[in-house]
Amino acid sequence: MLQQRTIKTITRAVGMGLHSGQRVEMTLRPAQPDTGIVFRRVDLPEPVDMPITAHAIVDTRMASTIGVGNAKVHTIEHLMSALCGLGIDNLYVDITAEEVPILDGSSSSFVFLLQSAGIELQKAPKKFIRIKRPVEVREGEGKQLKWARFEPYHGFKLKFDIDFSHPAVDSTGQSFEFDMGEGNYMRDIARARTFGFTKDVEMLRTNGLALGGGLDNAIVMDDYKVLNSDGLRYDDEFVKHKILDAIGDLYVIGHPILGAYRAFRSGHGMNNQLIRAVLADAENWEIVTFDNERKAPAGFAQTALAW
């Protein structure tokens, strides 16, 4: 049987929110089978639980935000990406502010935390959402066109195309495909950092965003070049970060997905629209488990992928 996973021990991180600039403490705790991923705002007078679902996403401007009533947690996508990459099904995320810490701007620090806590197999079958037929969402026309879609596939693979007219981005790959069963998430994707442009910083900060952003947790570019002294971690780090984000955005559907994702200039909002479109029609998807691990897609039965 392909089993559900949680972590073995409690682990903690302290950092700063990318957009809020607030100090935040985050504690990751094991959870029972079929709990799912649950964020808990422990700083409020009455702690508020926020179970991850596609419909719990309440804002997708610059990040994915989950909310219940007036309680929110911003920028969940990098942590969600790491959880998907390591196959974690059940977890409590206790948090002392309204934003997940940005740490180094990628998912690698979250992967390190989770691997340090250890991965525990649970006595319950791992549940997948299998895509049964193509589903697509589109916006705009011409140069404003963007789209994202799913197609049936026995596994989980993603192909993303970006379209940035910038010398630093043009010199790197603007298209990348990653197959979770053939590649290595930690080696190939997890270290890709979020990125931004100095020309946008003033506007973002005027709107109360990017208050905690800087060269230590993002790739920053002026009109011509990357400003980080250490350069890029991957030759195609920009498009790989978009795949990292998409993995996290899509995992809020509640279970790992069996399907092929393809996107052009998509973002957090469109990714959430896509999984809502999948769930909107029961003919689009089904829940599956694997009593025999050998019948599961390649890669999913590994208990802990190495760097």
Side-chain angles (χ1 to χ4, degrees):
M1 178 179 72
L2 198 57
Q3 296 167 272
Q4 293 181 29
R5 301 178 191 177
T6 188
I7 56 175
K8 291 181 180 179
T9 59
I10 292 174
T11 186
R12 296 181 175 86
V14 178
M16 180 184 295
L18 173 64
H19 292 299
S20 66
Q22 292 180 320
R23 181 183 185 276
V24 54
E25 298 178 21
M26 183 182 71
T27 302
L28 308 180
R29 297 188 291 113
Q32 294 298 310
D34 295 318
T35 299
I37 310 300
V38 180
F39 284 80
R40 175 176 287 171
R41 284 285 302 276
V42 297
D43 57 312
L44 301 175
E46 291 288 335
V48 176
D49 283 1
M50 289 172 266
I52 283 288
T53 70
H55 294 279
I57 297 295
V58 296
D59 195 348
T60 54
R61 292 171 297 174
M62 305 301 295
S64 287
T65 297
I66 188 173
V68 172
N70 293 323
K72 294 180 174 63
V73 178
H74 305 285
T75 321
I76 67 170
E77 61 271 10
H78 297 173
L79 174 57
M80 291 299 298
S81 185
L83 294 173
C84 183
L86 286 175
I88 303 296
D89 301 280
N90 306 301
L91 191 75
Y92 287 109
V93 182
D94 295 347
I95 194 164
T96 63
E98 62 179 15
E99 189 173 14
V100 173
I102 190 62
L103 302 181
D104 76 340
S106 74
S107 289
S108 60
S109 296
F110 298 117
V111 168
F112 176 79
L113 280 172
L114 293 162
Q115 289 190 320
S116 298
I119 310 299
E120 180 172 296
L121 296 178
Q122 300 178 290
K123 294 180 179 179
K126 190 178 189 75
K127 297 175 182 176
F128 295 84
I129 288 182
R130 179 158 60 194
I131 304 299
K132 294 171 60 179
R133 62 185 187 183
V135 179
E136 181 175 282
V137 292
R138 301 174 75 89
E139 275 184 19
E141 295 180 358
K143 292 184 178 181
Q144 302 303 314
L145 175 66
K146 55 184 178 179
W147 52 264
R149 66 170 169 256
F150 268 125
E151 294 180 354
Y153 178 68
H154 188 60
F156 183 43
K157 67 179 178 180
L158 308 97
K159 185 172 183 181
F160 205 107
D161 293 282
I162 58 176
D163 183 26
F164 287 98
S165 296
H166 186 281
V169 185
D170 288 343
S171 65
T172 73
Q174 297 211 38
S175 180
F176 188 75
E177 183 171 28
F178 176 72
D179 192 315
M180 196 73 80
E182 297 175 1
N184 183 310
Y185 172 83
M186 283 72 77
R187 181 193 66 213
D188 301 333
I189 302 295
R191 297 177 64 246
R193 293 161 295 176
T194 193
F195 57 92
F197 304 92
T198 53
K199 63 182 180 181
D200 297 329
V201 169
E202 185 176 344
M203 180 272 292
L204 288 170
R205 290 184 173 172
T206 299
N207 288 281
L209 298 170
L211 300 178
L215 292 169
D216 58 344
N217 55 32
I219 304 168
V220 181
M221 292 169 283
D222 62 14
D223 290 339
Y224 305 102
K225 63 185 182 299
V226 171
L227 300 180
N228 304 64
S229 60
D230 56 347
L232 299 178
R233 293 177 175 178
Y234 304 106
D235 291 340
D236 46 4
E237 188 168 358
F238 303 104
V239 68
K240 283 186 173 180
H241 185 78
K242 297 296 286 187
I243 283 187
L244 182 156
D245 275 349
I247 291 171
D249 289 339
L250 300 175
Y251 199 39
V252 303
I253 201 169
H255 299 286
I257 294 169
L258 298 181
Y261 165 89
R262 177 76 190 269
F264 175 69
R265 299 178 64 237
S266 182
H268 305 297
M270 181 152 282
N271 291 336
N272 191 248
Q273 289 177 40
L274 179 62
I275 57 176
R276 290 188 185 214
V278 168
L279 296 175
D281 189 337
E283 294 298 315
N284 291 336
W285 61 282
E286 63 182 346
I287 295 286
V288 297
T289 60
F290 294 95
D291 292 334
N292 185 340
E293 291 185 6
R294 287 178 294 182
K295 293 184 178 180
F300 283 95
Q302 294 173 261
T303 54
L305 300 172
W307 283 95

